[in-house]
Amino acid sequence: MIDLPEHPAPNGATPALVDFGGFNTPALGGEVQRIDRMGNRFRAQFSFPPMPSLDIGRVFVSRLIRGKTEGIRLPWPLLSFDPGAPGVIVVNGAGQSGRSLTVRSGNPHYVIREGQFFSVVKSGRHYLHVADAQVILDASGAGTVPLSPMLRVPFPDGAVCHFAKPMIEGYVQGAEWAWQMALDHNFGISFAVEEAA
């Protein structure tokens, strides 16, 4: 997995939820049924400010070329949201599934806000999720976080949750990936990444 440089940060992003579920619509007017399937994940299209080709742009291009086959990882944009000091929050209990995650070891009374993105790491891979409701951790730093999408893998006990700096990782999308080379010696870079799992 290739880590992109953190500077410069994206100057634009278009996130999307990739949904593998569907709707069962009866032909004769009955009730529509929603069919959920595991595997929903996030994708985002990122754009960056013009980058000098000599150093910064060259490194970005090199890493994105490798990211087509090896995958890339970069921070999820938080915009003006300040996640505060969550502490080192970890998964509390192995083998969890469904639409909530029990955690521990956070800072006492840390507030996880509705709509706050976080990633959980298993075997070195980040899985991106978003909190469905506000949760205030208890005095020991424990709590249960309702989340979307549903858990895609069973996390081991003690897996680290990144609330302060969530990450998205996956593969650069498209049959090809191109960049702009301008006459002012700047590179124009944009790309889409989708979680691989």
Side-chain angles (χ1 to χ4, degrees), residues 133-163:
Q134 179 171 293
V135 174
I136 301 174
L137 301 184
D138 65 20
S140 68
T144 300
V145 185
L147 53 75
S148 289
M150 73 174 73
L151 296 172
R152 311 189 288 277
V153 297
F155 294 111
D157 182 56
V160 176
C161 304
H162 292 260
F163 281 88

mmCIF file of all heavy atoms in Angstrom, residues 133-163:
data_model
loop_
_atom_site.group_PDB
_atom_site.id
_atom_site.type_symbol
_atom_site.label_atom_id
_atom_site.label_comp_id
_atom_site.label_asym_id
_atom_site.label_seq_id
_atom_site.Cartn_x
_atom_site.Cartn_y
_atom_site.Cartn_z
ATOM 1 N N ALA A 133 -24.610 8.033 15.108
ATOM 2 C CA ALA A 133 -25.217 8.818 16.192
ATOM 3 C C ALA A 133 -24.104 9.286 17.118
ATOM 4 O O ALA A 133 -22.997 8.751 17.117
ATOM 5 C CB ALA A 133 -26.223 7.967 16.974
ATOM 6 N N GLN A 134 -24.418 10.301 17.905
ATOM 7 C CA GLN A 134 -23.442 10.775 18.885
ATOM 8 C C GLN A 134 -23.309 9.766 20.023
ATOM 9 O O GLN A 134 -24.305 9.218 20.508
ATOM 10 C CB GLN A 134 -23.866 12.127 19.454
ATOM 11 C CG GLN A 134 -22.899 12.655 20.505
ATOM 12 C CD GLN A 134 -23.193 14.074 20.907
ATOM 13 O OE1 GLN A 134 -23.046 14.993 20.103
ATOM 14 N NE2 GLN A 134 -23.619 14.277 22.155
ATOM 15 N N VAL A 135 -22.067 9.517 20.417
ATOM 16 C CA VAL A 135 -21.769 8.601 21.516
ATOM 17 C C VAL A 135 -20.770 9.288 22.433
ATOM 18 O O VAL A 135 -19.768 9.835 21.960
ATOM 19 C CB VAL A 135 -21.156 7.279 20.992
ATOM 20 C CG1 VAL A 135 -20.722 6.387 22.151
ATOM 21 C CG2 VAL A 135 -22.132 6.550 20.086
ATOM 22 N N ILE A 136 -21.048 9.268 23.727
ATOM 23 C CA ILE A 136 -20.104 9.793 24.708
ATOM 24 C C ILE A 136 -19.494 8.602 25.432
ATOM 25 O O ILE A 136 -20.215 7.821 26.069
ATOM 26 C CB ILE A 136 -20.784 10.745 25.705
ATOM 27 C CG1 ILE A 136 -21.429 11.918 24.951
ATOM 28 C CG2 ILE A 136 -19.777 11.259 26.728
ATOM 29 C CD1 ILE A 136 -22.256 12.842 25.828
ATOM 30 N N LEU A 137 -18.183 8.436 25.280
ATOM 31 C CA LEU A 137 -17.522 7.327 25.952
ATOM 32 C C LEU A 137 -17.650 7.490 27.463
ATOM 33 O O LEU A 137 -17.737 8.604 27.979
ATOM 34 C CB LEU A 137 -16.048 7.260 25.547
ATOM 35 C CG LEU A 137 -15.769 7.076 24.051
ATOM 36 C CD1 LEU A 137 -14.269 6.934 23.811
ATOM 37 C CD2 LEU A 137 -16.511 5.879 23.481
ATOM 38 N N ASP A 138 -17.658 6.377 28.190
ATOM 39 C CA ASP A 138 -17.820 6.444 29.644
ATOM 40 C C ASP A 138 -16.509 6.853 30.322
ATOM 41 O O ASP A 138 -15.521 7.181 29.657
ATOM 42 C CB ASP A 138 -18.380 5.128 30.192
ATOM 43 C CG ASP A 138 -17.433 3.945 30.009
ATOM 44 O OD1 ASP A 138 -16.217 4.156 29.817
ATOM 45 O OD2 ASP A 138 -17.915 2.799 30.071
ATOM 46 N N ALA A 139 -16.501 6.811 31.632
ATOM 47 C CA ALA A 139 -15.343 7.261 32.399
ATOM 48 C C ALA A 139 -14.099 6.417 32.144
ATOM 49 O O ALA A 139 -12.973 6.867 32.382
ATOM 50 C CB ALA A 139 -15.672 7.277 33.888
ATOM 51 N N SER A 140 -14.285 5.199 31.647
ATOM 52 C CA SER A 140 -13.131 4.353 31.341
ATOM 53 C C SER A 140 -12.733 4.447 29.868
ATOM 54 O O SER A 140 -11.805 3.762 29.427
ATOM 55 C CB SER A 140 -13.431 2.893 31.701
ATOM 56 O OG SER A 140 -14.420 2.363 30.830
ATOM 57 N N GLY A 141 -13.460 5.258 29.090
ATOM 58 C CA GLY A 141 -13.150 5.407 27.667
ATOM 59 C C GLY A 141 -13.761 4.355 26.787
ATOM 60 O O GLY A 141 -13.274 4.110 25.678
ATOM 61 N N ALA A 142 -14.844 3.727 27.248
ATOM 62 C CA ALA A 142 -15.505 2.664 26.490
ATOM 63 C C ALA A 142 -16.872 3.116 26.005
ATOM 64 O O ALA A 142 -17.487 4.025 26.574
ATOM 65 C CB ALA A 142 -15.631 1.408 27.344
ATOM 66 N N GLY A 143 -17.365 2.459 24.955
ATOM 67 C CA GLY A 143 -18.696 2.751 24.437
ATOM 68 C C GLY A 143 -18.994 1.884 23.232
ATOM 69 O O GLY A 143 -18.159 1.084 22.791
ATOM 70 N N THR A 144 -20.208 2.054 22.705
ATOM 71 C CA THR A 144 -20.628 1.333 21.509
ATOM 72 C C THR A 144 -21.027 2.344 20.452
ATOM 73 O O THR A 144 -21.882 3.201 20.693
ATOM 74 C CB THR A 144 -21.802 0.389 21.815
ATOM 75 O OG1 THR A 144 -21.373 -0.563 22.802
ATOM 76 C CG2 THR A 144 -22.241 -0.355 20.567
ATOM 77 N N VAL A 145 -20.405 2.233 19.279
ATOM 78 C CA VAL A 145 -20.601 3.200 18.208
ATOM 79 C C VAL A 145 -21.491 2.595 17.126
ATOM 80 O O VAL A 145 -21.085 1.629 16.460
ATOM 81 C CB VAL A 145 -19.246 3.604 17.581
ATOM 82 C CG1 VAL A 145 -19.440 4.704 16.533
ATOM 83 C CG2 VAL A 145 -18.252 4.041 18.646
ATOM 84 N N PRO A 146 -22.705 3.133 16.913
ATOM 85 C CA PRO A 146 -23.493 2.709 15.758
ATOM 86 C C PRO A 146 -22.834 3.274 14.502
ATOM 87 O O PRO A 146 -22.370 4.425 14.505
ATOM 88 C CB PRO A 146 -24.870 3.328 16.012
ATOM 89 C CG PRO A 146 -24.612 4.479 16.914
ATOM 90 C CD PRO A 146 -23.386 4.163 17.713
ATOM 91 N N LEU A 147 -22.771 2.490 13.433
ATOM 92 C CA LEU A 147 -21.978 2.929 12.289
ATOM 93 C C LEU A 147 -22.570 2.504 10.963
ATOM 94 O O LEU A 147 -23.439 1.645 10.889
ATOM 95 C CB LEU A 147 -20.541 2.398 12.423
ATOM 96 C CG LEU A 147 -20.332 0.888 12.644
ATOM 97 C CD1 LEU A 147 -20.555 0.064 11.407
ATOM 98 C CD2 LEU A 147 -18.952 0.626 13.199
ATOM 99 N N SER A 148 -22.079 3.151 9.927
ATOM 100 C CA SER A 148 -22.363 2.776 8.535
ATOM 101 C C SER A 148 -21.036 2.818 7.792
ATOM 102 O O SER A 148 -20.160 3.608 8.137
ATOM 103 C CB SER A 148 -23.332 3.761 7.888
ATOM 104 O OG SER A 148 -24.629 3.621 8.404
ATOM 105 N N PRO A 149 -20.866 2.012 6.772
ATOM 106 C CA PRO A 149 -21.691 0.846 6.464
ATOM 107 C C PRO A 149 -21.489 -0.239 7.515
ATOM 108 O O PRO A 149 -20.648 -0.089 8.400
ATOM 109 C CB PRO A 149 -21.158 0.403 5.099
ATOM 110 C CG PRO A 149 -19.744 0.861 5.078
ATOM 111 C CD PRO A 149 -19.701 2.129 5.878
ATOM 112 N N MET A 150 -22.237 -1.344 7.394
ATOM 113 C CA MET A 150 -22.082 -2.413 8.367
ATOM 114 C C MET A 150 -20.666 -2.978 8.304
ATOM 115 O O MET A 150 -19.966 -2.829 7.298
ATOM 116 C CB MET A 150 -23.124 -3.515 8.170
ATOM 117 C CG MET A 150 -22.910 -4.399 6.974
ATOM 118 S SD MET A 150 -24.076 -5.800 6.901
ATOM 119 C CE MET A 150 -25.588 -4.996 6.427
ATOM 120 N N LEU A 151 -20.234 -3.575 9.386
ATOM 121 C CA LEU A 151 -18.878 -4.121 9.456
ATOM 122 C C LEU A 151 -18.669 -5.144 8.353
ATOM 123 O O LEU A 151 -19.493 -6.030 8.148
ATOM 124 C CB LEU A 151 -18.632 -4.746 10.827
ATOM 125 C CG LEU A 151 -18.668 -3.763 12.005
ATOM 126 C CD1 LEU A 151 -18.612 -4.520 13.322
ATOM 127 C CD2 LEU A 151 -17.525 -2.761 11.911
ATOM 128 N N ARG A 152 -17.548 -5.015 7.636
ATOM 129 C CA ARG A 152 -17.271 -5.888 6.495
ATOM 130 C C ARG A 152 -16.353 -7.039 6.854
ATOM 131 O O ARG A 152 -16.298 -8.027 6.114
ATOM 132 C CB ARG A 152 -16.647 -5.067 5.370
ATOM 133 C CG ARG A 152 -17.454 -3.794 5.114
ATOM 134 C CD ARG A 152 -17.025 -3.050 3.894
ATOM 135 N NE ARG A 152 -15.777 -2.341 3.902
ATOM 136 C CZ ARG A 152 -15.592 -1.125 4.396
ATOM 137 N NH1 ARG A 152 -16.571 -0.494 5.007
ATOM 138 N NH2 ARG A 152 -14.426 -0.521 4.283
ATOM 139 N N VAL A 153 -15.592 -6.878 7.923
ATOM 140 C CA VAL A 153 -14.683 -7.930 8.380
ATOM 141 C C VAL A 153 -14.782 -8.020 9.898
ATOM 142 O O VAL A 153 -15.121 -7.041 10.560
ATOM 143 C CB VAL A 153 -13.219 -7.650 7.970
ATOM 144 C CG1 VAL A 153 -13.068 -7.638 6.462
ATOM 145 C CG2 VAL A 153 -12.717 -6.358 8.572
ATOM 146 N N PRO A 154 -14.489 -9.180 10.488
ATOM 147 C CA PRO A 154 -14.446 -9.271 11.949
ATOM 148 C C PRO A 154 -13.091 -8.741 12.440
ATOM 149 O O PRO A 154 -12.050 -9.305 12.129
ATOM 150 C CB PRO A 154 -14.589 -10.771 12.215
ATOM 151 C CG PRO A 154 -14.061 -11.421 10.976
ATOM 152 C CD PRO A 154 -14.313 -10.484 9.840
ATOM 153 N N PHE A 155 -13.132 -7.642 13.166
ATOM 154 C CA PHE A 155 -11.894 -7.053 13.667
ATOM 155 C C PHE A 155 -11.415 -7.800 14.903
ATOM 156 O O PHE A 155 -12.220 -8.226 15.728
ATOM 157 C CB PHE A 155 -12.094 -5.573 14.003
ATOM 158 C CG PHE A 155 -12.385 -4.724 12.803
ATOM 159 C CD1 PHE A 155 -13.642 -4.161 12.623
ATOM 160 C CD2 PHE A 155 -11.412 -4.496 11.846
ATOM 161 C CE1 PHE A 155 -13.914 -3.382 11.521
ATOM 162 C CE2 PHE A 155 -11.676 -3.715 10.725
ATOM 163 C CZ PHE A 155 -12.928 -3.153 10.564
ATOM 164 N N PRO A 156 -10.107 -7.940 15.055
ATOM 165 C CA PRO A 156 -9.592 -8.581 16.267
ATOM 166 C C PRO A 156 -9.707 -7.656 17.470
ATOM 167 O O PRO A 156 -9.781 -6.436 17.324
ATOM 168 C CB PRO A 156 -8.122 -8.850 15.923
ATOM 169 C CG PRO A 156 -7.776 -7.829 14.905
ATOM 170 C CD PRO A 156 -9.026 -7.585 14.120
ATOM 171 N N ASP A 157 -9.740 -8.225 18.648
ATOM 172 C CA ASP A 157 -9.722 -7.434 19.870
ATOM 173 C C ASP A 157 -8.455 -6.581 19.878
ATOM 174 O O ASP A 157 -7.367 -7.066 19.577
ATOM 175 C CB ASP A 157 -9.739 -8.357 21.089
ATOM 176 C CG ASP A 157 -9.768 -7.593 22.390
ATOM 177 O OD1 ASP A 157 -10.680 -6.767 22.575
ATOM 178 O OD2 ASP A 157 -8.855 -7.801 23.219
ATOM 179 N N GLY A 158 -8.618 -5.301 20.178
ATOM 180 C CA GLY A 158 -7.467 -4.405 20.236
ATOM 181 C C GLY A 158 -7.119 -3.736 18.921
ATOM 182 O O GLY A 158 -6.140 -2.979 18.867
ATOM 183 N N ALA A 159 -7.885 -3.984 17.848
ATOM 184 C CA ALA A 159 -7.625 -3.299 16.578
ATOM 185 C C ALA A 159 -7.776 -1.796 16.776
ATOM 186 O O ALA A 159 -8.718 -1.330 17.415
ATOM 187 C CB ALA A 159 -8.588 -3.798 15.500
ATOM 188 N N VAL A 160 -6.858 -1.030 16.230
ATOM 189 C CA VAL A 160 -6.826 0.414 16.453
ATOM 190 C C VAL A 160 -7.865 1.121 15.586
ATOM 191 O O VAL A 160 -7.998 0.835 14.385
ATOM 192 C CB VAL A 160 -5.425 0.978 16.173
ATOM 193 C CG1 VAL A 160 -5.398 2.491 16.317
ATOM 194 C CG2 VAL A 160 -4.401 0.344 17.112
ATOM 195 N N CYS A 161 -8.584 2.064 16.204
ATOM 196 C CA CYS A 161 -9.569 2.894 15.518
ATOM 197 C C CYS A 161 -9.003 4.305 15.389
ATOM 198 O O CYS A 161 -8.605 4.910 16.387
ATOM 199 C CB CYS A 161 -10.878 2.938 16.296
ATOM 200 S SG CYS A 161 -11.601 1.329 16.645
ATOM 201 N N HIS A 162 -8.982 4.838 14.187
ATOM 202 C CA HIS A 162 -8.412 6.165 13.930
ATOM 203 C C HIS A 162 -9.541 7.195 13.845
ATOM 204 O O HIS A 162 -10.130 7.379 12.785
ATOM 205 C CB HIS A 162 -7.596 6.146 12.640
ATOM 206 C CG HIS A 162 -6.360 5.323 12.735
ATOM 207 N ND1 HIS A 162 -5.115 5.857 12.955
ATOM 208 C CD2 HIS A 162 -6.174 3.984 12.661
ATOM 209 C CE1 HIS A 162 -4.215 4.902 13.007
ATOM 210 N NE2 HIS A 162 -4.840 3.745 12.832
ATOM 211 N N PHE A 163 -9.808 7.851 14.964
ATOM 212 C CA PHE A 163 -10.823 8.903 15.000
ATOM 213 C C PHE A 163 -10.227 10.276 14.730
ATOM 214 O O PHE A 163 -10.902 11.152 14.196
ATOM 215 C CB PHE A 163 -11.545 8.905 16.351
ATOM 216 C CG PHE A 163 -12.586 7.832 16.471
ATOM 217 C CD1 PHE A 163 -12.244 6.564 16.927
ATOM 218 C CD2 PHE A 163 -13.900 8.066 16.127
ATOM 219 C CE1 PHE A 163 -13.196 5.567 17.038
ATOM 220 C CE2 PHE A 163 -14.872 7.067 16.227
ATOM 221 C CZ PHE A 163 -14.509 5.821 16.688
#
